[in-house]
Amino acid sequence: MKKSGVLLSSAGSVILILWLILFDMSIIDTALSFCFLILVPLLLEEVVRCNKNNRAERWISNVMVTSLPFAGAGLLSVALPPGREAGGWALVWLFFTVLLAVGGIMRLAGRGWLPVQETVIDIGLIYIAVGGVWLVLSSGGMGRFLPYSDTIVQLTAIHFHYAAFVLPILTGLFGRWLVSYKNGAAGTPYTVLAGAISLGPVFIAIGLDQGPPLEAILVAAYVGFLLWLALWWLWCSAEFPIGAKIAVRLSSFLLLITMGLSVLYSFGLMGGNYWPGIGDMVRWHGILNAFGFSLFSVLAWRSLQPGRNHIYTSFPVSNLRTRGYIGNEVIFKKGWAAGHLYEAGLLNDLYAYRSNDFAPEQVSSRIQNFYENTNRYSLTAEVEWKNGFRRLSKWIRKWTRKMGQINLPPSGSIVMEGEIVSIQDEEDGREGVRAWLRRDAETEEPIFTALYSSHIQSEVRYMNIALPLPFGIMTGVLRLTNDSEEGLIITSERKSNNTGDEGIYLTLGKWTMCLPLRECFYVREGADEKLEATHVIKWFTIPFIHINYKISMREH
């Protein structure tokens, strides 16, 4: 449904106005209801705008369109006197926030920690579930079991709906705008700011728990970052259309005022001066932030509609699944092989991978021939597990041997033989699929059963390599680049601006997550008319295995 967030927030506005006409509500209760009914659908719609290919964002979109009845439950939870009934309605809202948190976790797990502007949005989606928990504690009357006053419990609930949900998402939208404006990465200053805003709600909660002087120090540091955000928005607003410019400047000025009140309150507690007091903070800080800063900011960034320079985890994933032992024979036992077709190599044509970052004509003819006629070559591999991982390699070997997949031996030499087998595209779901079956030439043990395909995203063709596992499928998405000579680099490392599909992914059911693994193949000309290749696999940034290949043409 187009503009469903606008429709939901419009309906929520009508409900809230009618409720305020008919019933009395405190400022805190009204601010929470304002977030439930109006801000949440507006922000969620902007988060998932123009992306229907990502499973995590389809999840968030589907959750968003159900928000109105859940928001109504949240309204009842703050309108009713604290107790069992109000706590029951708060549990309904908590269930909704948990669904949003699951969407945030799915987005984060599917993409990884970068780019930072998307990560700070995910953190906001996760934080709102913490706000839901505090709402249950407040509305359920359970504050008496906590070492805090009822007002502090209620303020913590509002803190995790605004400072921990609204503000991080707004910061993420600002980051999207920065990236599109710079036509590159958001930059280190933005990364520092986004990190502080992401961690700020937790540190503020710690400060409130510990009290002065730690509270004053943490609040002052957090306020400093928010002042930086407000001033940065004011600076950037010169580039905005007139409507967004006015809204951003109003919201920035209001943020400057409310953060000044926060500093006065925290240092007042430390010095024994109780102005502004908690009542003044609720009245002025709460009103200006909830109904001023938040509303104007949301409307401003929605009107700007900052785009994303890449849609993550929207690439095709193989549909092929198996259980138990895999081995090289699985493609025949499962009927995946296309017996009527013959493929000689991993690629039909290296030139199909031409992009702004890759010129296939710069790759040596022998390397091209290897990838287009792989069946004609044999490989000798020298496996080296790095220090700290050598002991693990023996345990990993036991597991991979039983699995019959990714069955790399401990450090040492191994001769590999293999073949290319065509796979039925209609079974796999990708295009031009062929399996490269590799086994130990001496023992006949399977080493790799890898299903090669490719896909195009943002005018770049990627290698899309699937490895069936007993519990799902692992997908390596690799980008081709040139070296300074005639070699070929195939890597899962993303470019410096953190755009692209590159990565190692694990799919369980229909949920795809990015693993903290990186790999790089470097193929180059060697001596005696042989090719040499280096395969490095990293855990995060730590190399844990090197495989050096000697690739030679078979004699027959």
Side-chain angles (χ1 to χ4, degrees):
M1 183 189 298
K2 292 184 178 180
K3 298 293 184 182
S4 54
V6 172
L7 294 174
L8 289 165
S9 64
S10 299
S13 300
V14 172
I15 292 170
L16 183 58
I17 291 169
L18 290 175
W19 192 274
L20 291 173
I21 292 171
L22 296 172
F23 305 101
D24 289 329
M25 290 181 69
S26 70
I27 292 172
I28 297 177
D29 294 340
T30 305
L32 279 167
S33 302
F34 184 73
C35 183
F36 304 155
L37 291 160
I38 298 168
L39 297 181
V40 166
L42 288 176
L43 285 171
L44 293 180
E45 184 177 54
E46 189 59 31
V47 166
V48 301
R49 182 174 57 84
C50 299
N51 185 10
K52 298 180 181 179
N53 296 320
N54 181 293
R55 181 174 174 79
E57 298 196 6
R58 288 201 304 269
W59 172 281
I60 295 169
S61 182
N62 292 334
V63 172
M64 178 194 69
V65 298
T66 68
S67 68
L68 193 58
F70 289 103
L75 171 62
L76 289 172
S77 74
V78 298
L80 293 170
R84 183 176 298 177
E85 186 177 356
W89 289 114
L91 281 171
V92 176
W93 175 252
L94 172 61
F95 177 71
F96 176 78
T97 63
V98 169
L99 294 179
L100 290 182
V102 169
I105 292 169
M106 289 171 66
R107 263 178 46 103
L108 184 60
R111 185 193 65 255
W113 287 101
L114 295 173
V116 68
Q117 67 270 15
E118 299 301 325
T119 299
V120 72
I121 289 174
D122 298 335
I123 289 172
L125 293 170
I126 295 168
Y127 269 147
I128 196 173
V130 181
V133 171
W134 281 96
L135 182 69
V136 171
L137 296 174
S138 174
S139 298
M142 288 178 272
R144 63 182 180 274
F145 301 113
L146 300 172
Y148 313 114
S149 67
D150 291 341
T151 301
I152 292 297
V153 174
Q154 204 173 23
L155 287 175
T156 305
I158 201 171
H159 171 73
F160 276 98
H161 279 83
Y162 279 90
F165 170 71
V166 174
L167 187 58
I169 291 182
L170 290 173
T171 304
L173 298 179
F174 171 49
R176 287 181 181 178
W177 179 86
L178 275 178
V179 169
S180 60
Y181 179 71
K182 292 181 175 182
N183 195 25
T188 301
Y190 175 82
T191 300
V192 173
L193 178 63
I197 287 174
S198 299
L199 297 173
V202 174
F203 286 117
I204 294 299
I206 293 171
L208 290 172
D209 178 68
Q210 296 298 312
L214 182 62
E215 178 185 3
I217 295 170
L218 292 176
V219 167
Y222 183 57
V223 165
F225 284 106
L226 294 185
L227 294 178
W228 178 13
L229 176 68
L231 293 172
W232 202 349
W233 282 9
L234 285 171
W235 177 269
C236 293
S237 65
E239 305 292 331
F240 298 167
I242 185 64
K245 181 183 297 185
I246 292 171
V248 164
R249 289 181 175 179
L250 276 173
S251 65
S252 299
F253 282 124
L254 289 171
L255 186 60
L256 292 171
I257 293 169
T258 58
M259 291 305 101
L261 288 173
S262 295
V263 172
L264 288 174
Y265 173 72
S266 296
F267 280 95
L269 288 180
M270 189 169 60
N273 177 15
Y274 296 102
W275 190 94
I278 191 71
D280 300 305
M281 287 296 292
V282 170
R283 188 178 307 110
W284 297 110
H285 185 275
I287 289 174
L288 293 177
N289 269 338
F291 309 113
F293 166 76
S294 295
L295 180 60
F296 286 127
S297 298
V298 170
L299 294 177
W301 290 107
R302 277 184 57 89
S303 69
L304 289 169
Q305 293 191 339
R308 284 171 287 184
N309 53 358
H310 193 78
I311 304 298
Y312 297 89
T313 58
S314 59
F315 52 82
V317 174
S318 172
N319 295 327
L320 302 181
R321 300 290 186 275
T322 187
R323 295 181 181 179
Y325 185 79
I326 298 163
N328 291 157
E329 299 299 316
V330 67
I331 65 169
F332 304 106
K333 291 178 180 178
K334 289 283 186 178
W336 298 342
H340 60 289
L341 296 176
Y342 173 78
E343 299 290 353
L346 294 174
L347 310 178
N348 285 335
D349 183 4
L350 188 66
Y351 281 75
Y353 286 83
R354 179 186 296 279
S355 70
N356 292 333
D357 299 315
F358 178 60
E361 65 273 9
Q362 294 180 17
V363 177
S364 79
S365 59
R366 281 198 289 171
I367 294 175
Q368 292 186 41
N369 189 64
F370 165 68
Y371 277 97
E372 294 172 6
N373 297 279
T374 315
N375 274 336
R376 298 180 182 177
Y377 290 81
S378 61
L379 292 80
T380 300
E382 187 72 31
V383 179
E384 179 188 3
W385 291 81
K386 293 300 182 180
N387 291 335
F389 294 94
R390 286 176 184 165
R391 290 186 179 180
L392 273 178
S393 68
K394 295 180 180 179
W395 178 86
I396 293 171
R397 169 72 164 174
K398 290 180 181 179
W399 184 63
T400 57
R401 215 169 191 172
K402 291 180 180 179
M403 185 171 62
Q405 178 67 291
I406 320 176
N407 186 24
L408 290 169
S411 296
S413 296
I414 183 172
V415 177
M416 296 184 187
E417 61 181 19
E419 58 184 321
I420 305 294
V421 179
S422 296
I423 300 296
Q424 300 179 58
D425 289 357
E426 59 270 22
E427 292 285 335
D428 185 282
R430 299 172 298 160
E431 296 181 355
V433 186
R434 68 279 312 269
W436 190 13
L437 310 179
R438 277 181 281 174
R439 55 189 172 270
D440 187 322
E442 182 178 346
T443 66
E444 296 292 317
E445 278 190 300
I447 299 175
F448 286 108
T449 298
L451 312 175
Y452 281 70
S453 180
S454 67
H455 72 267
I456 298 175
Q457 184 81 275
S458 302
E459 300 182 350
V460 176
R461 182 178 291 275
Y462 297 91
M463 276 190 177
N464 185 309
I465 307 168
L467 286 84
L469 300 174
F471 45 82
I473 199 155
M474 183 184 290
T475 304
V477 179
L478 310 175
R479 170 173 49 90
L480 278 62
T481 64
N482 302 101
D483 70 353
S484 57
E485 298 179 356
E486 293 186 308
L488 173 64
I489 299 171
I490 306 175
T491 179
S492 69
E493 296 275 2
R494 286 188 188 145
K495 292 182 287 187
S496 58
N497 61 2
N498 294 308
T499 61
D501 288 350
E502 300 94 332
I504 309 298
Y505 301 87
L506 177 64
T507 300
L508 301 173
K510 294 187 178 295
W511 183 12
T512 298
M513 64 193 78
C514 185
L515 298 176
L517 297 173
R518 302 289 182 269
E519 65 176 332
C520 180
F521 296 88
Y522 177 29
V523 189
R524 58 200 177 276
E525 294 275 0
D528 302 325
E529 297 187 349
K530 293 182 179 180
L531 297 176
E532 295 178 354
T534 302
H535 183 193
V536 180
I537 306 176
K538 300 178 183 178
W539 175 263
F540 290 98
T541 59
I542 303 171
F544 67 89
I545 187 170
H546 280 202
I547 308 174
N548 293 310
Y549 290 99
K550 297 290 186 181
I551 305 172
S552 55
M553 183 81 77
R554 290 177 180 171
E555 294 180 0
H556 56 281

